Amino acid sequence: MTFEFPMTDRDTLLALNQAFYRAFSNRDVAAMAALWAERLPVSCMHPGWGALVGREAVLASWQDVLRAPSGVIVRPRHERVMLYGDSALVLCEEILGNAVLAATNLFVREDGAWRLTHHQSGPMAQPRAEVERPDDDAPPPRLH
Amino acid sequence: MTFEFPMTDRDTLLALNQAFYRAFSNRDVAAMAALWAERLPVSCMHPGWGALVGREAVLASWQDVLRAPSGVIVRPRHERVMLYGDSALVLCEEILGNAVLAATNLFVREDGAWRLTHHQSGPMAQPRAEVERPDDDAPPPRLH
């Protein structure tokens, strides 16, 4: 497969972010492990949990998540890329069945290649369109 | 005030993270604004909400949060610093009254100074010590 134009960092980061959710949906432990940095510090905050720090702890948690028999498809949407030279955020929403989560994915260049170094996701209030009373102007609950 | 030893990046980042929660607790809009990057892309995910992108939108959201008459003190704990050259994560837990949240704070060097570029926080399941049934070994609920 050849490309007419070289991929930009933004293209690469969006493709890696898609690969992350494809590995998640496909329960592909090897593909998930390949996305995370090998030597840079890595960390992960699963919904409802505190920080896991270190590649071993993070990948062990993903093994648990991916081996759980949920069969749920995880689909990203509304991706935004924020570039900071050798690091970059991909922000997105995650659709898991009826739940919508907001996610931060941090990628950092390691030996010239973008690798995932941090993930946090947390539940979002239901979007207006999915709320039963569309004329209810009350904002979603906020803890901050 | 003088220091015997120069501050390391880690010291500086922990101090900035403390300053973030001090501005939050003190409802200090100017101190909060001063922490965020001026020119680098900035973004914020308040608990339950999607991504706010851009300094104007992010600071407007903090003005709303800080002007709300909650009077709550926000205290960080279990801070972890992950350094990536010119960017760095400070991960921590946020104590807000009875709630505990997990937070990602991304700092990036702008004109040589560390500035906040992204914040996400989301609710954590209650720590074991605060659960009414300490012999209940059920893990907290997880969406992943």
Side-chain angles (χ1 to χ4, degrees), chain A residues 41 48 84 87 94 102-104 118 120 125, chain B residues 41 48 84 87 102 104 118 120 125 144:
Chain A
Y84 303 99
S87 65
E94 302 174 342
T104 294
H118 179 69
Q120 178 176 6
Chain B
Y84 303 99
S87 64
T104 294
H118 179 68
Q120 178 176 7
H144 272 186

Side-chain angles (χ1 to χ4, degrees), chain A residues 49-111:
Chain A
W49 289 73
L52 297 169
V53 173
R55 183 172 164 93
E56 191 175 347
V58 169
L59 291 188
S61 76
W62 280 107
Q63 285 197 356
D64 290 346
V65 169
L66 299 181
R67 285 175 181 160
S70 81
V72 71
I73 299 296
V74 188
R75 187 168 57 80
R77 71 175 182 193
H78 300 167
E79 295 94 334
R80 303 289 294 261
V81 178
M82 325 294 277
L83 272 167
Y84 303 99
D86 287 331
S87 65
L89 287 175
V90 183
L91 310 180
C92 63
E93 297 179 9
E94 302 174 342
I95 316 299
L96 290 94
N98 292 325
V100 184
L101 296 91
T104 294
N105 293 318
L106 179 67
F107 294 85
V108 181
R109 264 191 257 260
E110 185 182 72
D111 301 331

Side-chain angles (χ1 to χ4, degrees), chain B residues 118-134:
Chain B
H118 179 68
H119 166 81
Q120 178 176 7
S121 70
M124 287 176 64
Q126 285 298 307
R128 182 65 51 96
E130 297 173 28
V131 171
E132 282 183 27
R133 296 169 301 162

Side-chain angles (χ1 to χ4, degrees), chain B residues 1-143:
Chain B
M1 190 186 215
T2 58
F3 295 97
E4 283 287 322
F5 302 101
M7 285 179 82
T8 63
D9 280 331
R10 193 170 299 270
D11 295 334
T12 302
L13 288 158
L14 287 170
L16 287 170
N17 201 62
Q18 291 277 352
F20 172 74
Y21 291 104
R22 197 162 52 242
F24 196 159
S25 296
N26 292 345
R27 313 272 137 184
D28 188 335
V29 171
M32 177 60 77
L35 288 163
W36 288 84
E38 294 277 351
R39 284 177 301 285
L40 292 169
V42 299
S43 50
C44 187
M45 292 170 162
H46 295 289
W49 289 74
L52 297 168
V53 172
R55 184 173 163 92
E56 191 175 346
V58 169
L59 291 187
S61 77
W62 280 106
Q63 284 198 356
D64 290 346
V65 169
L66 299 181
R67 285 177 180 159
S70 82
V72 70
I73 299 295
V74 188
R75 189 168 56 81
R77 71 175 182 194
H78 300 167
E79 295 95 335
R80 304 289 294 263
V81 178
M82 326 293 277
L83 273 166
Y84 303 99
D86 287 330
S87 64
L89 287 176
V90 184
L91 310 180
C92 62
E93 297 179 9
E94 303 173 341
I95 315 299
L96 289 94
N98 292 325
V100 183
L101 295 92
T104 294
N105 293 318
L106 178 66
F107 295 85
V108 182
R109 265 192 256 259
E110 185 183 71
D111 301 331
W114 290 107
R115 304 293 290 270
L116 188 57
T117 59
H118 179 68
H119 166 81
Q120 178 176 7
S121 70
M124 287 176 64
Q126 285 298 307
R128 182 65 51 96
E130 297 173 28
V131 171
E132 282 183 27
R133 296 169 301 162
D135 57 342
D136 178 359
D137 276 341
R142 62 198 296 171
L143 281 162

Side-chain angles (χ1 to χ4, degrees), chain A residues 122-133:
Chain A
M124 287 177 62
Q126 284 299 309
R128 182 66 51 97
E130 297 174 27
V131 171
E132 283 182 26
R133 294 170 300 163

Side-chain angles (χ1 to χ4, degrees), chain A residues 5-24:
Chain A
F5 302 100
M7 283 180 82
T8 64
D9 280 332
R10 193 170 297 270
D11 294 335
T12 302
L13 289 157
L14 286 171
L16 288 170
N17 200 62
Q18 291 277 352
F20 172 75
Y21 291 103
R22 196 162 52 242
F24 196 159

